[in-house]
Amino acid sequence: MAAISVGPIRIAIVGVGKIARDQHIPSITDNADFELVATVSSQSGLDDIANFKTLKHMLEQGPELDAVALCTPPSVRHELALLALEHRKHVLLEKPPGATLSEIDDLTALADQDELSLFATWHSRFAAAVQPAKHWLQGKQLRRATILWKEDVRHWHPGQEWIWDAGGFGVFDPGINALSIITEILPRPIFIKDATLLFPENRAAPIAADMNFTDSANTPIRFELDWRQTGPQTWDIEIETDQGTLLLQKGGSVMSIGGNVHIEENVSEYDGIYRRFADLIKNRESDVDVRPLRHVADAFMRGHHLKTEAFTS
């Protein structure tokens, strides 16, 4: 069992890239439950914070730690998480939590065995309107749902070539955010029926996807994902029910019902993530929901893989 220090939870960030600098570091800094004591980066770390070239080096020779936040690409996350858990550290996984479902099963079993907290995060679930939308949908009859998730990969992932490799997820890197919301707010599980995935001829991961899902009540649920959108970005979920139509926009920060805005709030999703992580650690619990990742795997398995024109960053 990991020993927690008296005082703030001592945490290290592994992978000091754009998401760590933009989201994780500010949220950790603003949360009194945490103290950022180290980083792991092969390039540059942070001023006044100890940086180590490898996680192994930090765990063996670095400062005392209680937890690590893994902000690396998913392809290397299992190896790093396994090492951290073996050193009795609580682990936060950026989304997607791993490259495969089997990897997550392995980590979950180890965390449970040693009473460590493993947190597979889905930041979009912490948007302001997601929980109110879930509450509003309860008890209503769903008629159909449409999810449009379209953004400009050049803006959001500049120079990140790993996302185009096999296992890099491609358009499902943002698309899994939509799946994380829809699996949270709908009252019944969903199942993929068919999909078309478009792969640039020079890439091993898709740039767009059209998918049809349903649930046990045969509700039609359509997803359209595209990484080629320029100008205004689209992160919308529309759900028609017997008592009106719910519209989530801007990734879950705006909720309208019947055309009337009920919630419009841009909160820090990562502030919510770190509040949740602190609670999990204090209670010796884990939170590992793999449904969004399972749906991505199902899309690759059921989908028609088509080629489209080459893409260059």
Side-chain angles (χ1 to χ4, degrees), residues 113 188 286:
Q113 170 188 303
R188 291 181 294 270
S286 291

Side-chain angles (χ1 to χ4, degrees), residues 127 129 149 235-237 247-256 261:
W149 224 255
W235 303 296
D236 294 349
I237 296 174
L247 178 62
L248 288 179
Q249 295 177 289
K250 298 182 179 180
S253 62
V254 178
M255 183 176 82
S256 303
V261 175

